[in-house]
Amino acid sequence: MADHRTVRRLLPVIGLAAMLALTACSGEARSNASTSTEDAGSFDFDESTPLGEVIPAEARETAPGFGGELLDGTEFDSESLAGDITVMNFWGSWCAPCRVETPEFQAVYEDVKDDGVQFLGVDVKDDRQLAEAFLEGVGAEYPSLFDPRGEVALAFRGFPANVVPTTILLDGAGQVAAVYVAVVPESELRRALDTLKAEEPPR
């Protein structure tokens, strides 16, 4: 059995491990709002995509279907994304990096929204009023699903649902073209979207 001196030496190590485990933003669900998902997609998360890059077209997998309620109360179904490139950004009003990233996403959205590119926020583990205040504060105008239980993230099998912000790009064929498990700078998002827009449209 370890003596008291050994235990004292181990405490800082244990504390550091706990801190590392909590480095990603996390939050607690505060609502019973429901979000539907369909396990029809073949996507299985393996590793994150380098910032600004996309998965080669031949290696992409189909995204699952999902739906739910937007923060403004409108019903949403992922079928409405068909044919467009889509930027899905998982965020929360409690996430400090999101306050930096979201205005940059809004700037890109304003430039590409008429070019066959949709943006969809996914607000996770949040309170609706806090989320609405956050969007107003940062000036984000693109729609966001209210997903307090993180069900949309879980539909993307293996996707690290507890890491926020994260971003998934879908190509026009509804396939996962990138998964960024990090804050995405505006320049890198623009680079990835330019690559996808240059691809042949889905038949």
Side-chain angles (χ1 to χ4, degrees):
M1 181 179 295
D3 61 24
H4 293 298
R5 287 172 297 178
T6 302
V7 171
R8 283 197 298 270
R9 286 196 299 270
L10 288 174
L11 283 175
V13 177
I14 295 171
L16 177 60
M19 288 177 63
L20 291 174
L22 294 172
T23 51
C25 284
S26 62
E28 181 178 344
R30 304 178 189 176
S31 170
N32 293 322
S34 62
T35 302
S36 62
T37 58
E38 300 172 16
D39 195 20
S42 61
F43 175 76
D44 240 322
F45 179 78
D46 182 33
E47 60 182 355
S48 60
T49 312
L51 291 178
E53 298 183 17
V54 299
I55 299 168
E58 64 275 11
R60 295 173 193 166
E61 298 175 331
T62 303
F66 58 91
E69 185 178 278
L70 299 176
L71 277 169
D72 65 5
T74 305
E75 290 298 314
F76 175 86
D77 191 293
S78 60
E79 290 184 359
S80 66
L81 305 175
D84 287 340
I85 296 166
T86 302
V87 179
M88 292 180 61
N89 178 244
F90 294 78
W91 64 276
S93 64
W94 40 266
C95 176
C98 298
R99 191 164 294 278
V100 176
E101 182 183 62
T102 306
E104 296 192 358
F105 274 44
Q106 172 63 25
V108 179
Y109 167 72
E110 290 175 355
D111 289 342
V112 301
K113 62 183 179 181
D114 296 324
D115 298 334
V117 180
Q118 295 195 50
F119 275 58
L120 177 67
V122 183
D123 177 37
V124 298
K125 300 180 180 179
D126 212 345
D127 173 89
R128 187 185 290 269
Q129 289 185 329
L130 292 176
E132 292 172 341
F134 173 90
L135 292 181
E136 183 176 354
V138 298
E141 299 175 353
Y142 51 85
S144 276
L145 270 172
F146 183 53
D147 186 23
R149 293 186 296 214
E151 294 176 6
V152 172
L154 293 175
F156 289 80
R157 290 190 298 267
F159 180 69
N162 290 327
V163 182
V164 176
T166 54
T167 299
I168 295 177
L169 300 186
L170 306 181
D171 63 19
Q175 297 179 315
V176 177
V179 180
Y180 304 125
V181 187
V183 171
V184 182
E186 179 180 341
S187 60
E188 300 296 351
L189 180 59
R190 290 183 184 276
R191 182 158 69 99
L193 291 177
D194 285 344
T195 299
L196 292 177
K197 288 192 293 181
E199 294 178 353
E200 289 292 326
R203 297 183 183 278

